[in-house]
Amino acid sequence: MKDKNLDHSINIENIATLARIHLTNKEKVELPKSLDEILEYFDKLGKANVEGIEPSAHAFPLYDILREDEVDVPLDTKTALQNAPKQRNDQIIVPKIVE
Amino acid sequence: MDSRVFYKSALELEKLLDSGKLTSVELAKILIERTKSVENQLNAFISFDEEKTINEAMQSDGRRKAGKKLSNLDGIPVGIKDLIAEQGQPLTCGSKILQGYVSPYDATVIKRMRNVGCVLWGRLNMDEFAMGSSNENSYYGKVSNPWDVSRVPGGSSGGSAAAVASGETILALGSDTGGSIRQPASFCGIVGLKPSYGSVSRYGVVAFASSLDQVGPMGRSVGDVAALFHIISGHDGRDSSSYPIDKTNHTLESIANKTAKVIGIPSEYFGEGLDSGIRQAIENAIKFYEKAGHRIQKVSLATTEYTMAVYYVVAAAEASSNLARFDGIRYGYRSENVRDAIDIYYKTRGEGFGSEVKRRIMLGTYVLSNENFESHYLRAQKVRTLIRNDFMRVFEKVDMLITPVTPSTAFKIGEKSANPLQMYLSDIYTISANLAGLCALSLPCGLSHNGLPIGLHLIGKPFHEHEILSLGYEFEHAHDFKDMHPVI
C-alpha cells in the first residue's frame, strides 16, 4: 500500500496505540507533519557532548521523602465517587471485562 | 469612591478596607460588575460563583470588624487558574475531558490562601492542560488580550493575565511549566513570578510536567506579587518535591530594602529574532540598574541553543505519563460510543483531548518508546544537566540575570496556531528557568511602538526570590509602568 505517512519517521498508528488515543482520519494526516518537524528540531540534541554526564530528572532531586505517619480524615466514598462518569451502590460502573 | 477601584493594588485596597472606606463585599461586587462588562470581549473566566465569592467577602468583613484580620490579603479577591483544586468548585484544565468535574478537596495553595482570608474569586481560562503559549487551545474558547482584543494574551495562564490586566481581579494564581506565567504577564503588562522549583506546593494542582511545573502569583505590582508569594510558598509534606527550606520574608518592607547586586547579561538571549523595540526597552532597563549602582556583567550560557529541544522532549514525556490518568473510568468525560472496556480509553481520550494535547502526548509517547528512549529522552535529561551546570557556573559570578521575556510582543490570534514549532519558539527565553529550577520574574518595562506591553525578565538563583522581587520593585518604583492600564 502506498501511504505517504510511511515516509515519515513517526509511525502514527503505532504511537497512537501506545498512547491509547483514537485519532480521526484528519488527525492521522495532520499530526505526523507537525510531529516530524518537531522531531527534526530535536536532532540538535545530537550535537551536545554528553559523555560522562549524568541525566537530571529534577533540578533539585530529593530522596526518601517521608512524612509523619498520622491518621487523617479520608474522603468519604460519596465524595470520592462524585466525579465518576457512571456509578451504582458506591462502585464505578465499567463495561464487562471478562466473558 | 474612585470609579477605577478595580485597578488598585492589593496593598492599597488593604488600607481602604482597614479604614472602613471600602468593604470586601463592595470590592467583590465591583469586580463581579467589571467582569460582566468586559468578559464578552476577553473570555478570561471559565466559571465563577458569585454567591460563594460574596459570602467569603462577607466573612472577611466580619473578621475585620471584630479586629481579627488574618493577614494583609484578608478580603482581597484572587482568581484561580482552572487547574488548581478548590473544594466544591469546578476544575476543567481548559479541557472537555474534565467538563463537569468538581474538586473534592483543596490544593495546598488554596488552603493557605483560605487560612489568611483571601477571597477565592473565579476559575480562570487557560490553554488545555497548560499546553500552549497563546490561550487559543482552551475547550472553553480563546482568551483575548485586553490591550488589543485581536491579539493573544499569551499562555498558558492567559486567563489569569487578562483578568489581572483588565481589572477583573486584583490578584491571580497561574502556573508555569515553560513560561506560562511570565509570557502572558509580559504580553498583558502585568507582574508574574515563576518560583524556584520546590518553593510552592504542587499538591492539588493538575500535573502537566511534574519536574517543571510551579504555581506562582500574578498581579499588577511587584509588592502584590510578593505578598501572595509569601502566603503560598513554603514546605508542604504532601508534595514530595517540595523543598525543605526555611521561609524567607517577602513583605514589601523587606523587598524594598536596596542592596547592590551583580547582574549578568547573557549574550545568547539578545541574538537574532529579538524584536528591536524589546531589545531597546531591556537595554534601557539595564542602564537604569547600572545607574542605580548595580554592577552589570556580560556572561555566556553556551547551552542556550539546546534548551528548547530539551524542554519539549522532557515536558512531552512527562505529560504523556501524567495524562494517562485521564481514561474515562474514575472521573471526567467518558465516551458513550464504546465496544468494550479498552475502547473506553481510546474513544474517551480521542474525543476528550484537543489537538495540541494529543500532539504532546504522541510526542511524549514517541520519545519514551523503547527504540527512542536513549536517543531522545535520556539524552535530553543529560543535556538538562549541562544546562543546569551552565547556570550554576554563571551564578558563581553574578547574583541574577536580565533577559527579555519574549522575542516579540503579543501576536495576533491565529498568527501561530497553524505552526506548532513557531508557537513553541515563543517560549525561548523562559524555559531554561524551568529546566534549571530557577526563580524568575516578569514585570512591565515599556510599550512597543504599537502600544503593546513589553516585559523585563529577572532570573534569580534557586530560592532567591527575594532578590529578584527586590530588584523588580526598585525598577517599578522608579517608573510608572504599573499605572498603565489597557483601554477596555
Side-chain angles (χ1 to χ4, degrees):
Chain A
M1 190 179 78
K2 274 273 179 198
D3 182 345
K4 69 176 177 171
N5 288 346
L6 292 179
D7 299 333
H8 290 94
S9 53
I10 193 160
N11 180 338
I12 198 82
E13 300 273 5
N14 177 38
I15 300 296
T17 304
L18 290 173
R20 300 283 186 273
I21 292 186
H22 176 81
L23 297 178
T24 61
N25 288 335
K26 193 174 164 224
E27 286 169 335
K28 282 180 196 165
V29 176
E30 284 174 359
L31 266 175
K33 287 184 205 154
S34 60
L35 287 173
D36 286 342
E37 194 188 358
I38 296 162
L39 289 173
E40 201 181 303
Y41 185 81
F42 288 170
D43 284 347
K44 62 166 70 196
L45 289 177
K47 280 201 312 178
N49 181 5
V50 292
E51 217 182 297
I53 301 293
E54 289 292 319
S56 295
H58 272 86
F60 319 113
L62 296 168
Y63 301 100
D64 300 331
I65 301 301
L66 300 170
R67 61 172 186 261
E68 288 303 312
D69 189 11
E70 287 164 350
V71 178
D72 204 345
V73 185
L75 290 180
D76 60 273
T77 312
K78 194 170 167 292
T79 312
L81 289 180
Q82 73 184 19
N83 288 298
K86 281 185 182 167
Q87 56 165 301
R88 187 176 57 213
N89 301 336
D90 289 347
Q91 294 179 67
I92 293 169
I93 302 176
V94 291
K96 202 169 159 184
I97 50 168
V98 281
E99 289 305 321
Chain B
M1 183 62 56
D2 178 357
S3 65
R4 284 154 67 94
V5 174
F6 47 77
Y7 278 142
K8 288 199 183 298
S9 73
L11 302 177
E12 287 166 334
L13 289 165
E14 183 204 5
K15 288 193 190 112
L16 288 174
L17 292 169
D18 285 348
S19 71
K21 287 179 187 152
L22 178 75
T23 66
S24 180
V25 169
E26 282 167 350
L27 176 59
K29 286 183 175 166
I30 288 168
L31 296 186
I32 289 167
E33 196 184 317
R34 172 68 173 165
T35 299
K36 286 180 175 170
S37 76
V38 295
E39 263 305 86
N40 60 342
Q41 296 177 75
L42 299 179
N43 195 32
F45 284 83
I46 289 178
S47 64
F48 54 77
D49 183 339
E50 284 182 47
E51 201 185 315
K52 182 215 76 135
T53 305
I54 290 176
N55 191 29
E56 287 180 14
M58 206 182 287
Q59 289 174 25
S60 170
D61 286 335
R63 284 191 295 269
R64 221 179 215 99
K65 233 177 188 172
K68 288 179 180 164
K69 184 173 97 168
L70 295 170
S71 72
N72 56 350
L73 294 186
D74 197 335
I76 302 294
V78 185
I80 316 294
K81 185 174 182 179
D82 206 13
L83 51 51
I84 302 171
E86 177 188 348
Q87 191 177 4
Q89 287 296 306
L91 179 154
T92 68
C93 282
S95 182
K96 179 183 176 184
I97 215 162
L98 281 172
Q99 194 169 27
Y101 180 91
V102 174
S103 298
Y105 66 94
D106 274 343
T108 295
V109 289
I110 295 290
K111 207 170 261 177
R112 286 185 179 173
M113 293 199 302
R114 276 193 209 282
N115 289 345
V116 299
C118 292
V119 172
L120 305 173
W121 160 228
R123 313 284 310 169
L124 293 160
N125 208 340
M126 55 184 282
D127 281 302
E128 185 178 1
F129 286 103
M131 297 176 191
S133 310
S134 66
N135 221 129
E136 291 169 289
N137 299 335
S138 169
Y139 179 69
Y140 305 91
K142 298 176 173 94
V143 178
S144 282
N145 189 318
W147 290 82
D148 175 350
V149 294
S150 71
R151 291 177 188 272
V152 303
S156 65
S157 311
S160 302
V164 169
S166 63
E168 291 181 309
T169 185
I170 306 303
L171 282 159
L173 287 185
S175 70
D176 191 314
T177 303
S180 281
I181 286 175
R182 292 160 286 156
Q183 185 252 22
S186 168
F187 279 9
C188 292
I190 64 160
V191 183
L193 173 69
K194 198 289 285 184
S196 312
Y197 187 78
S199 277
V200 177
S201 169
R202 295 180 300 111
Y203 178 73
V205 181
V206 179
F208 158 16
S210 308
S211 81
L212 306 164
D213 297 342
Q214 273 292 285
V215 168
M218 301 169 82
R220 289 185 296 265
S221 72
V222 176
D224 279 12
V225 161
L228 186 53
F229 176 65
H230 189 68
I231 286 162
I232 61 172
S233 59
H235 183 251
D236 177 19
R238 288 177 184 267
D239 173 359
S240 61
S241 66
S242 171
Y243 209 75
I245 192 171
D246 286 339
K247 208 171 162 108
T248 314
N249 195 348
H250 295 100
T251 56
L252 187 58
E253 297 76 52
S254 71
I255 64 161
N257 191 8
K258 281 187 209 174
T259 42
K261 297 288 176 195
V262 184
I263 303 172
I265 311 297
S267 53
E268 290 81 1
Y269 285 64
F270 291 84
E272 210 183 315
L274 175 62
D275 172 87
S276 61
I278 295 181
R279 181 191 303 274
Q280 190 59 53
I282 306 299
E283 282 171 0
N284 291 346
I286 294 168
K287 277 184 207 140
F288 163 82
Y289 282 117
E290 194 166 25
K291 236 174 150 182
H294 302 285
R295 195 152 63 80
I296 306 294
Q297 191 176 324
K298 285 206 167 123
V299 295
S300 174
L301 288 161
T303 54
T304 301
E305 64 169 315
Y306 302 121
T307 52
M308 183 61 74
V310 171
Y311 174 79
Y312 276 93
V313 171
V314 170
E318 293 185 16
S320 73
S321 167
N322 274 325
L323 271 61
R325 61 173 60 100
F326 298 100
D327 55 12
I329 302 296
R330 291 149 301 155
Y331 46 78
Y333 173 78
R334 181 190 288 183
S335 174
E336 291 292 335
N337 171 30
V338 293
R339 290 191 310 271
D340 52 34
I342 300 299
D343 207 32
I344 288 184
Y345 302 153
Y346 287 100
K347 295 270 175 58
T348 295
R349 292 159 66 78
E351 293 164 20
F353 290 136
S355 62
E356 183 57 31
V357 173
K358 285 182 192 169
R359 180 165 21 251
R360 305 238 190 151
I361 292 176
M362 296 286 287
L363 199 55
T365 307
Y366 177 88
V367 300
L368 289 175
S369 64
N370 211 7
E371 57 271 37
N372 303 307
F373 181 84
E374 246 177 72
S375 63
H376 286 76
Y377 185 63
L378 196 61
R379 191 168 187 92
Q381 284 194 316
K382 288 179 180 173
V383 183
R384 184 176 181 182
T385 305
L386 295 178
I387 292 169
R388 188 173 174 274
N389 293 349
D390 214 10
F391 274 98
M392 293 309 130
R393 182 183 50 76
V394 164
F395 279 136
E396 281 171 14
K397 292 180 283 185
V398 303
D399 297 306
M400 66 186 75
L401 301 167
I402 284 186
T403 79
V405 185
T406 55
S408 76
T409 51
F411 45 87
K412 290 267 187 190
I413 291 171
E415 188 179 324
K416 297 186 192 222
S417 46
N419 190 333
L421 188 59
Q422 280 309 308
M423 185 73 91
Y424 296 175
L425 289 168
S426 68
D427 292 333
I428 190 119
Y429 303 134
T430 49
I431 48 173
S432 51
N434 301 76
L435 289 170
L438 313 170
C439 58
L441 182 75
S442 171
L443 73 154
C445 70
L447 289 181
S448 67
H449 63 95
N450 51 350
L452 295 170
I454 296 172
L456 175 67
H457 199 199
L458 300 175
I459 306 175
K461 293 176 185 174
F463 310 109
H464 282 59
E465 280 84 353
H466 54 284
E467 290 189 353
I468 55 172
L469 288 165
S470 178
L471 258 75
Y473 178 77
E474 187 179 346
F475 182 85
E476 179 185 88
H477 195 64
H479 298 83
D480 53 8
F481 299 124
K482 86 169 161 45
D483 303 317
M484 293 189 311
H485 303 297
V487 180
I488 184 159

